[in-house]
Amino acid sequence: QVQLVESGGGLAQAGGSLRLSCTTSGRTASSYTMGWFRQAPGKEREFVASISYSGASTLYSDSVKGRFTISRDNAKNTMYLQMNNLKPEDTAVYYCAARLSGLAVKAESFNYWGQGTQVTVSS
């Protein structure tokens, strides 16, 4: 079992930056593939980025590629999402998620979820 807690959301202007953190606790948290998803009002939850347990491999959605960077520090049991050049369409609740197997992009492939953190980007 692993527990996930997101932090770092808030309000930013278009073109600005925010960094989200996801702190994990529980057994062998560093063994989990981690991911970020987001959900805007009235829309389905969508994949943002995923990172392997070692941090060596990453995946990004086309909508954030080149603007967002996913990383992790297993010594601190923390995963990050650095978000640069934010756009109003990035406004959503951002969730971190974990799974024991390899990289994935489907929400249903992840077994553990945080409670979410709101990111709002103003134009």
Side-chain angles (χ1 to χ4, degrees):
Q1 190 79 3
V2 62
Q3 294 79 43
L4 310 174
V5 179
E6 302 96 337
S7 61
L11 178 64
Q13 291 188 333
S17 299
L18 284 173
R19 189 176 80 157
L20 305 183
S21 299
C22 174
T23 301
T24 63
S25 61
R27 294 183 59 186
T28 61
S30 60
S31 300
Y32 288 76
T33 289
M34 305 288 293
W36 288 100
F37 290 77
R38 66 187 182 186
Q39 188 167 19
K43 295 187 177 181
E44 293 187 353
R45 191 168 298 189
E46 66 169 347
F47 170 75
V48 175
S50 180
I51 188 166
S52 63
Y53 73 93
S54 68
S57 299
T58 57
L59 286 175
Y60 294 94
S61 69
D62 288 342
S63 62
V64 307
K65 196 174 297 182
R67 300 188 297 122
F68 291 9
T69 303
I70 190 172
S71 62
R72 67 191 298 166
D73 185 340
N74 287 339
K76 296 182 178 179
N77 290 329
T78 302
M79 174 182 65
Y80 305 97
L81 185 68
Q82 178 66 44
M83 305 185 294
N84 297 329
N85 191 21
L86 284 163
K87 303 176 181 181
E89 51 264 42
D90 294 319
T91 295
V93 177
Y94 283 71
Y95 298 89
C96 68
R99 68 192 299 262
L100 274 174
S101 298
L103 293 176
V105 301
K106 293 183 178 180
E108 55 265 35
S109 298
F110 286 78
N111 306 105
Y112 305 101
W113 292 85
Q115 81 289 350
T117 186
Q118 177 71 45
V119 170
T120 303
V121 183
S122 62
S123 58

